[in-house]
């Protein structure tokens, strides 16, 4: 007889043991035992003693051992994994605090290593910028030399994406981020990708250098200065200069003796196993809405465009050198000089396509985008608590604050604007669902709570896409958590959006590009209306509403009847005289889902022919860009559009007819 039991742990399965006392939390499996002291935090105590430490510009040292942690929480404890979340402040020997740490300690059953996610948080909000000299974990591990993949030595420093130093001798290339010290092996994930990084020993102490000390003339060559505002703006005479509220995370794993060979261990940490379901299973779950998995005989041109542009998107990273602890996961070049801050939610766009396509590279690249956006682009600390969860728009230096407002004529993008039209949550929540890592939920909820608590009460939404992105962000939180707080925020936001719609179906705002004209034109930008229609469609799929369906139909009617230029097979950029007569076929990636949903809601499908016309030209002629903004824009809503098209019987929009020759 076969007996099926749920949540049962076999008698012979030791699993991970967690013991909580007033003095400490102990995590243990058959190979590793860690003791996390409630009086002083040493993240690897039991394997190797040593506290996290940060040094200020004057050389004063602040450690995680000089004050008790503010929080030690067993975040997860199952049969195969336990995670403890530790949070606290660094302090000097006299107990004076400065900056903050967050560390998640992970231990798995039957693994010979512990894994840390170590985060440095700049919570010093009295000034805009803070400078520090280094951030390290010194461990009491005697070793006269360390064994690196590049050879034996006392110090390895990756100071560029394409150069490392072994005992001070420069070598071209990218060093694997692992080393052996006696019976221990250590590996930093994304070691060279998150440069500068390093390991160093003086014989008695092994220093894990999350952000190593740098010479005062670092990044000062002629070539470096040309790239300063792209890559090296954060380095100020060898000091790290970061804006208040930001944070930076590094993953470190430490293996005790008798485990995997060091190189195998390092590769496993860099590319951990992932238990993936088949795309059909992900789509059938409907957890993230209605989706149709990739099919060999459907949307063949779209699928070819997707694969080609994704490959080129990855190649572009190499050409532009989108690496470094400040940058990795983001893409560069929005308005030429700005980092994109994953505009349109690159993490979500790739992760949702992973669900329907199954390409693991998409998931990995999605995770990188989500980590960056959650750490660097999101406000985690602010003198005004109401700003927690606000996200920086595409800025020079990601957060702004590094250059005067007239630098490169970029105005506010040098100072660090934050607005709800450049704020996303779905990538954070989808990665949480896929990985189980609570760091993503934590960030997603910080952003979503800001949106749900603040924006619906604001009678001035701004650009009309702002309401759409706000609703999308709140709904992402509701889809992921089921928390009624977010559903209530979504309902309030829907009311605000519907209140802003005119009787003819139009949403609009004053057109910024025509700000020097009088009177300044007021009207819609079809791609922004597309954001609203997508948001309302998501809401209506989850909470069907006659009012919302009517708003979607009227909004779609307005776009087709007033902004579609049929001879160009695309929508105008904005309702203003300077844009009125030229249609762009790119807009369909943002308007398509809402328009397809409106078509399904319309019993007569009055605009089906126009929908086919726009789709054919977009898919066959526009394709998908490999540039970060265009790439994300081309993917972020289309998963849902493809499903809608399947429902109304459109599987392969035919190629556009060749234009007739002039008589």
């Amino acid at each position: 007889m076969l007996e099926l039991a749920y949540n049962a742990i076999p008698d012979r399965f030791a699993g991970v043991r967690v013991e909580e006392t007033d003095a400490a939390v102990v995590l243990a499996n058959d190979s590793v035992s860690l003791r996390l002291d409630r009086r002083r935090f040493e993240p690897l105590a039991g394997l190797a003693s040593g506290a996290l430490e940060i040094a200020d510009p004057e050389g004063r040292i602040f450690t995680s051992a000089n004050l008790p942690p503010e929080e030690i929480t067993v975040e997860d404890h199952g049969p195969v994994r336990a995670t403890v979340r530790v949070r606290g402040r660094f302090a000097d020997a006299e107990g004076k605090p400065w900056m903050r740490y967050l560390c998640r300690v992970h231990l798995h059953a039957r693994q010979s290593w512990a894994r840390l996610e170590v985060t440095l948080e700049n919570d010093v909000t009295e000034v805009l910028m803070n400078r520090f000299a280094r951030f390290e974990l010194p461990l009491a591990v005697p070793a006269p030399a360390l064994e690196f993949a590049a050879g034996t030595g006392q110090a390895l420093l990756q100071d560029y994406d394409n150069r490392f130093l072994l005992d001070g001798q420069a070598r071209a290339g990218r060093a694997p981020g692992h080393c052996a010290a006696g019976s221990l092996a250590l590996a930093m994930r994304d070691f060279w990708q998150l440069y500068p990084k390093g390991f160093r020993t003086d014989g008695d102490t092994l220093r894990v250098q999350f952000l190593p000390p740098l010479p005062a003339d670092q990044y000062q060559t002629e070539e470096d200065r040309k790239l300063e505002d792209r890559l090296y703006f954060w380095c100020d005479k060898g000091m790290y200069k970061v804006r208040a509220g930001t944070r930076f995370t590094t993953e470190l794993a430490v293996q005790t003796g008798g485990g995997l060979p060091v190189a195998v261990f390092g590769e496993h940490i860099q590319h951990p196993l992932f238990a993936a379901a088949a795309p059909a299973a992900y789509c059938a779950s409907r957890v993230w809405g209605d989706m149709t998995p990739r099919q060999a005989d459907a949307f063949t041109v779209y699928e070819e465009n997707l694969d080609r542009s994704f490959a080129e998107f990855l190649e572009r990273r190499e050409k532009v050198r989108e690496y470094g602890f400040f940058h990795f996961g983001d893409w560069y070049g929005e308005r030429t000089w700005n980092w994109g801050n994953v505009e349109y939610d690159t993490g979500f766009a790739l992760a949702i396509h992973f669900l329907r396509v199954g390409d693991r590279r998409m998931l990995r690249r999605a995770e990188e985008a989500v980590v960056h956006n959650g750490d660097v682009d999101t406000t985690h600390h602010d003198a005004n608590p109401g700003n927690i969860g606000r996200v920086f728009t595409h800025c020079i230096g990601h957060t702004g604050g590094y250059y005067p407002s007239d630098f490169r004529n970029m105005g506010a993008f040098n100072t660090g604007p934050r607005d709800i039209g450049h704020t996303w949550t779905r990538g954070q929540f989808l990665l949480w669902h896929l990985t189980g890592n609570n760091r993503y939920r934590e960030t997603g909820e910080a952003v979503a709570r800001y949106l749900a608590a603040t924006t619906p009460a604001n009678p001035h939404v701004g650009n009309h896409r702002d309401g759409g992105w706000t609703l999308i962000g709140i709904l992402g939180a509701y889809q992921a958590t089921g928390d009624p707080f977010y559903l209530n925020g979504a309902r309030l936001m829907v009311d605000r959006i519907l209140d802003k719609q005119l009787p003819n179906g139009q949403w609009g705002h004053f057109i910024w590009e025509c700000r020097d004209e009088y009177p300044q034109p007021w009207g819609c930008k079809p791609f922004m209306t597309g954001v609203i229609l997508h948001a309302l469609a998501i809401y209506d799929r989850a909470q069907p509403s006659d009012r919302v369906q009517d708003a979607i139909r009227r909004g779609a009617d307005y776009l087709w009847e007033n902004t579609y230029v049929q001879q160009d097979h695309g929508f105008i950029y904005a309702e203003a005289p300077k844009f009125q007569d030229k249609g762009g076929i790119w807009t369909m990636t943002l308007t398509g889902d809402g328009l397809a949903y409106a078509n399904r809601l319309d019993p007569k499908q009055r605009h089906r022919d126009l929908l086919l016309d726009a789709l054919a030209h977009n898919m066959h002629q526009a394709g998908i860009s490999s540039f970060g903004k265009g790439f994300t824009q081309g993917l972020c809503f289309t998963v849902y559009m493809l499903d809608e098209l399947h429902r109304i019987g459109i599987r392969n929009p035919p190629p556009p007819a060749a234009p007739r020759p002039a008589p």
Side-chain angles (χ1 to χ4, degrees):
M1 184 178 74
L2 178 65
E3 182 178 344
L4 178 64
Y6 293 94
N7 298 320
I9 302 175
D11 293 337
R12 295 188 300 275
F13 188 78
V16 182
R17 302 178 296 281
V18 177
E19 179 184 351
E20 296 187 75
T21 69
D22 291 341
V25 175
V26 177
L27 291 85
N29 63 18
D30 291 339
S31 303
V32 178
S33 179
L34 300 177
R35 186 181 188 278
L36 307 180
D37 197 310
R38 296 188 185 276
R39 296 165 301 175
R40 48 184 286 124
F41 180 51
E42 297 186 12
L44 292 169
L47 278 179
S49 62
L52 298 167
E53 68 178 39
I54 184 172
D56 72 7
E58 286 72 44
R60 290 176 296 180
I61 297 174
F62 301 76
T63 85
S64 61
N66 287 333
L67 284 177
E70 297 173 344
E71 171 193 349
I72 300 183
T73 302
V74 179
E75 196 170 56
D76 289 304
H77 183 203
V80 297
R81 176 172 63 89
T83 299
V84 177
R85 181 183 189 274
V86 187
R87 188 180 182 89
R89 303 199 71 183
F90 295 103
D92 64 13
E94 298 176 352
K96 179 182 178 182
W98 190 63
M99 294 206 189
R100 180 176 291 277
Y101 63 86
L102 169 64
C103 184
R104 282 183 165 86
V105 183
H106 304 277
L107 192 63
H108 287 72
R110 297 182 178 177
Q111 287 186 348
S112 56
W113 61 85
R115 185 170 62 89
L116 310 178
E117 291 177 299
V118 181
T119 302
L120 170 65
E121 296 187 342
N122 179 8
D123 71 334
V124 182
T125 60
E126 292 81 6
V127 293
L128 183 69
M129 291 286 180
N130 285 281
R131 296 162 75 245
F132 61 92
R134 57 182 174 85
F135 175 43
E136 300 176 317
L137 173 59
L139 298 172
V141 176
L146 304 175
E147 297 292 333
F148 302 109
T152 302
Q154 291 189 314
L156 175 70
L157 171 64
Q158 184 87 41
D159 60 347
Y160 290 84
D161 62 316
N162 56 12
R163 187 190 85 166
F164 64 91
L165 287 80
L166 181 61
D167 287 346
Q169 298 299 308
R171 299 189 187 181
R174 295 163 167 175
H178 57 259
C179 70
S183 63
L184 295 183
L186 299 91
M188 268 195 269
R189 193 179 188 196
D190 297 324
F191 180 79
W192 64 264
Q193 294 91 332
L194 292 169
Y195 76 89
K197 291 277 183 283
F199 295 100
R200 174 179 289 273
T201 182
D202 61 5
D204 297 318
T205 301
L206 190 163
R207 288 187 170 271
V208 180
Q209 298 179 310
F210 301 120
L211 293 171
L214 299 172
D217 62 351
Q218 184 76 50
Y219 309 123
Q220 289 300 307
T221 69
E222 182 178 353
E223 183 62 25
D224 291 342
R225 287 196 291 270
K226 292 177 183 177
L227 296 172
E228 180 199 291
D229 58 299
R230 184 201 306 179
L231 298 179
Y232 310 125
F233 53 84
W234 51 267
C235 187
D236 184 8
K237 298 186 175 83
M239 298 290 118
Y240 296 86
K241 182 179 179 181
V242 299
R243 185 163 180 156
T246 54
R247 70 183 190 189
F248 307 92
T249 301
T250 305
E251 292 186 42
L252 171 71
V254 179
Q255 176 181 246
T256 188
L260 297 173
V262 177
V264 176
F265 169 62
E267 180 64 18
H268 178 83
I269 298 306
Q270 180 60 32
H271 301 289
L273 297 176
F274 179 80
Y282 285 129
C283 294
S285 75
R286 302 181 64 203
V287 171
W288 280 89
D290 293 321
M291 294 183 289
T292 303
R294 172 178 277 185
Q295 299 175 13
D297 61 346
F299 303 106
T300 54
V301 172
Y302 176 82
E303 305 294 5
E304 291 168 1
N305 290 339
L306 171 62
D307 291 343
R308 181 174 55 255
S309 65
F310 180 53
E312 293 171 354
F313 175 68
L314 296 180
E315 291 171 3
R316 189 179 185 277
R317 167 189 272 184
E318 289 292 319
K319 296 175 183 176
V320 182
R321 300 176 65 186
E322 295 167 343
Y323 297 106
F325 81 101
F326 224 113
H327 319 307
F328 186 55
D330 202 2
W331 43 263
Y332 180 78
E334 204 286 337
R335 302 177 200 223
T336 306
W337 310 111
N338 299 3
W339 283 93
N341 290 8
V342 305
E343 187 176 10
Y344 291 101
D345 203 347
T346 305
F348 176 78
L350 282 167
I352 202 73
H353 273 77
F354 162 75
L355 296 187
R356 64 173 295 273
V357 172
D359 187 337
R360 174 71 189 279
R361 297 174 304 160
M362 291 182 176
L363 177 61
R364 174 63 180 136
R365 185 63 182 86
E367 184 180 22
E368 293 161 4
V370 164
V371 168
H372 166 84
N373 192 236
D375 276 357
V376 177
D377 303 334
T378 301
T379 304
H380 298 278
H381 302 276
D382 197 276
N384 176 2
N387 285 330
I388 304 301
R390 295 187 71 186
V391 179
F392 290 99
T393 189
H394 38 71
C395 297
I396 289 183
H398 300 284
T399 66
Y402 291 93
Y403 300 98
S405 60
D406 60 354
F407 179 73
R408 295 201 185 278
N409 295 315
M410 292 306 294
F413 294 116
N414 283 304
T415 59
R418 296 173 286 192
D419 72 74
I420 56 177
H422 292 81
T423 298
W424 352 97
T425 69
R426 291 193 294 180
Q428 299 288 339
F429 286 115
L430 181 48
L431 262 293
W432 170 54
H433 275 190
L434 286 168
T435 66
N437 192 326
N438 282 301
R439 67 190 284 199
Y440 304 130
R441 175 178 182 166
E442 185 175 85
T443 301
E445 291 221 63
V447 177
R449 286 192 170 272
Y450 168 76
L451 293 174
T454 305
T455 308
N458 181 4
H460 305 292
V461 177
N463 289 342
H464 63 288
R465 70 171 166 199
D466 292 358
W469 279 118
T470 299
L471 180 56
I472 291 168
I474 298 171
L475 285 170
Y478 177 65
Q479 284 178 292
T481 67
D483 189 333
F485 172 78
Y486 298 120
L487 179 59
N488 182 64
R491 287 170 174 160
L492 293 173
M493 199 65 233
V494 167
D495 288 343
R496 177 70 59 212
I497 290 171
L498 299 192
D499 286 346
K500 292 287 186 179
Q501 188 180 31
L502 299 183
N504 65 356
Q506 182 189 31
W507 286 280
H509 63 275
F510 286 106
I511 306 303
W512 183 85
E513 290 85 351
C514 303
R515 60 195 178 280
D516 295 330
E517 298 179 18
Y518 185 83
Q520 185 177 358
W522 188 98
C524 87
K525 290 184 174 180
F527 78 93
M528 293 189 178
T529 299
V531 175
I532 290 179
L533 293 177
H534 174 67
L536 292 177
I538 297 172
Y539 180 85
D540 191 63
R541 289 163 181 144
Q543 301 283 316
S545 162
D546 291 342
R547 287 178 65 229
V548 172
Q549 291 176 13
D550 178 65
I552 292 171
R553 282 191 295 263
R554 290 189 295 114
D557 288 348
Y558 186 86
L559 286 186
W560 289 123
E561 294 165 9
N562 296 276
T563 70
Y564 191 66
V565 182
Q566 192 152 4
Q567 65 266 27
D568 294 332
H569 313 284
F571 294 93
I572 61 174
Y573 175 73
E575 287 190 295
K578 66 190 293 184
F579 301 115
Q580 200 65 39
D581 299 323
K582 178 63 177 174
I585 58 178
W586 65 272
T587 315
M588 197 61 188
T589 56
L590 295 176
T591 58
D593 177 51
L595 294 175
Y597 189 66
N599 186 80
R600 183 159 66 87
L601 294 175
D602 179 6
K604 298 182 179 180
Q605 296 194 14
R606 290 167 296 124
H607 300 303
R608 183 186 176 96
D609 289 344
L610 289 177
L611 180 65
L612 265 173
D613 179 66
L615 286 167
H617 285 82
N618 175 265
M619 290 187 181
H620 288 272
Q621 294 182 352
I624 302 171
S625 170
S626 61
F627 167 58
K629 182 171 183 172
F631 177 76
T632 308
Q633 192 179 78
L635 270 63
C636 59
F637 298 165
T638 49
V639 163
Y640 301 105
M641 178 187 77
L642 296 179
D643 185 76
E644 285 296 333
L645 296 175
H646 270 286
R647 290 169 179 265
I648 60 176
I650 298 175
R651 292 170 61 84
N652 274 304
R660 294 180 179 179

